[in-house]
């Protein structure tokens, strides 16, 4: 039942990527192809990761060396009202991939999130890979369950937590923070943005390269990978408007005045400690944002 987009490559490594129509999955597939790897991309339409038999057959058939798994149910607020879907996709879907990797001998690289932390660490501290997890949302708990399956079942694995991803590929029906800010600015000429929610804005193509660099180390374990630097949503928005040459009035607000179905995450910034020690580092979020806006927004 499963089909795949296959890219040919002669550089040895055989790589399967999940979620290839998403922001990160599309960037990972492109980066892997550019490195000359033999690649297979699984989109949601081509193969649902919640289908255990389908996932097993697919991985056994293609026999990849590495499975990079960004596919997820990423509608954070909807996870609160539909926890079954969140756990089915993010937890059990990842279990299926971990079981298939364990059986086939492939390495599993699971992409996780800053939302496994509770955001209560006072700014300017960042979360180390070794800090205690304590997710406060269904989304965070479902992604943490994916981490457990990955680390308990796959024989060779990376768990890579990231944050605030913005990508080069527009995903139909979804807007990232940069696109949302620009929409609001163009419709209203003003924006109200929280100033006490902080994390690390991360450009999907930069993260894709870092994931592949990390995967080549064979130093399995838990990692934090984001663009360097911490921003509040307010500072992130200011930079978006400045770089995109929009004249927008921004009013700061607080998370306590911004009601959402999920509990607020104040400071969920991640520290890249473990990957940096291997030499895997990323440029600043401002440099990455400048490239994204120049290439995807101003062009
Ligand atoms: N975006 C962020 O700010 C952020 C922050 C921290 C961590 N992360 C993590 O980074 C990863 C990538 O995020 P992203 O922003 O690239 O997400 P995204 O754009 O929402 O992409 C997720 C992809 O997963 C696919 N998918 C969903 N359910 C599936 C299923 N049952 N079977 C197969 N595929 C399925 C989706 O396909 P459909 O759209 O067709 O359902 C979509 O293409 C995720 O694991 C996320 O948890 C993201």
């Amino acid at each position: 039942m499963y089909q795949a987009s296959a890219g040919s490559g002669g550089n040895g490594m055989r790589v399967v990527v999940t979620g290839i129509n998403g922001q990160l999955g599309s960037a990972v597939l492109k980066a892997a192809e550019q490195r000359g790897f033999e690649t297979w991309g699984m989109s949601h339409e081509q193969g649902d990761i919640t289908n255990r038999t389908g996932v097993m057959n697919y991985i056994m058939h293609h026999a990849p060396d590495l499975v990079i798994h960004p596919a997820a149910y990423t509608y954070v607020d909807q996870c609160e009202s539909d926890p079954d879907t969140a756990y089915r996709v993010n937890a059990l879907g990842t279990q299926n991939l971990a079981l298939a990797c364990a059986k086939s001998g492939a390495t599993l690289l699971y992409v996780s999130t800053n939302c496994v932390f509770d955001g209560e660490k006072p700014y300017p501290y960042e979360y180390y890979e070794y800090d205690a997890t304590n997710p406060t949302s269904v989304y965070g708990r479902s992604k943490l369950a994916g981490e457990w399956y990955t680390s308990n079942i796959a024989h060779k694995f990376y768990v890579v937590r990231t944050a605030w991803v913005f990508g080069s590929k527009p995903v139909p029906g979804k807007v990232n923070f940069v696109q949302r800010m620009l929409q609001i600015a163009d419709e209203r000429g003003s924006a109200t943005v929280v100033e006490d929610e902080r994390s690390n804005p991360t450009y999907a193509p930069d993260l894709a390269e870092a994931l592949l660099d990390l995967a080549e180390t064979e130093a399995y374990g838990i990692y934090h990978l984001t663009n360097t630097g911490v921003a509040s949503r307010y500072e992130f928005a200011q930079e978006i408007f400045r770089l995109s040459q929009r004249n927008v009035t921004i009013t700061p607000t607080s998370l306590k005045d911004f009601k959402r179905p999920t509990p607020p995450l104040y400071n969920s910034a991640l520290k890249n400690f473990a990957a940096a020690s291997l030499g895997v580092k990323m440029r600043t979020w401002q440099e990455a944002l400048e490239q994204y806006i120049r290439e995807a927004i101003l062009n």
Side-chain angles (χ1 to χ4, degrees), residues 22-24 44 48-49 70-72 74 111-112 139 143 162 165 174:
Q23 294 190 97
L24 181 58
H44 196 168
D48 191 321
I49 60 167
T74 55
V111 180
S112 190
Y139 172 73
K143 292 292 295 182
T162 191
V165 177
K174 283 184 189 169

Side-chain angles (χ1 to χ4, degrees), residues 18-25 42-45 47-50 69-75 89-90 110-115 139 143 161-166 171-172 174 204 207:
T18 69
I20 55 160
N21 286 332
Q23 294 190 97
L24 181 58
M42 278 173 70
S43 71
H44 196 168
E45 308 83 65
D48 191 321
I49 60 167
T50 65
H69 172 37
Y73 187 67
T74 55
Y75 297 97
V89 177
N90 298 343
Y110 169 66
V111 180
S112 190
T113 170
N114 56 322
C115 297
Y139 172 73
K143 292 292 295 182
R161 300 182 187 129
T162 191
W164 290 12
V165 177
F166 58 95
V171 179
K174 283 184 189 169
L207 178 58

Side-chain angles (χ1 to χ4, degrees), residues 170-200:
V171 179
K174 283 184 189 169
V175 284
N176 61 44
F177 185 75
V178 181
Q179 293 160 324
R180 192 159 77 245
M181 284 299 108
L182 292 175
Q183 268 177 5
I184 291 172
D186 292 344
E187 283 164 21
R188 305 182 203 157
S190 66
T192 301
V193 187
V194 293
E195 61 177 352
D196 53 358
E197 182 185 22
R198 292 188 175 83
S199 200
N200 322 89

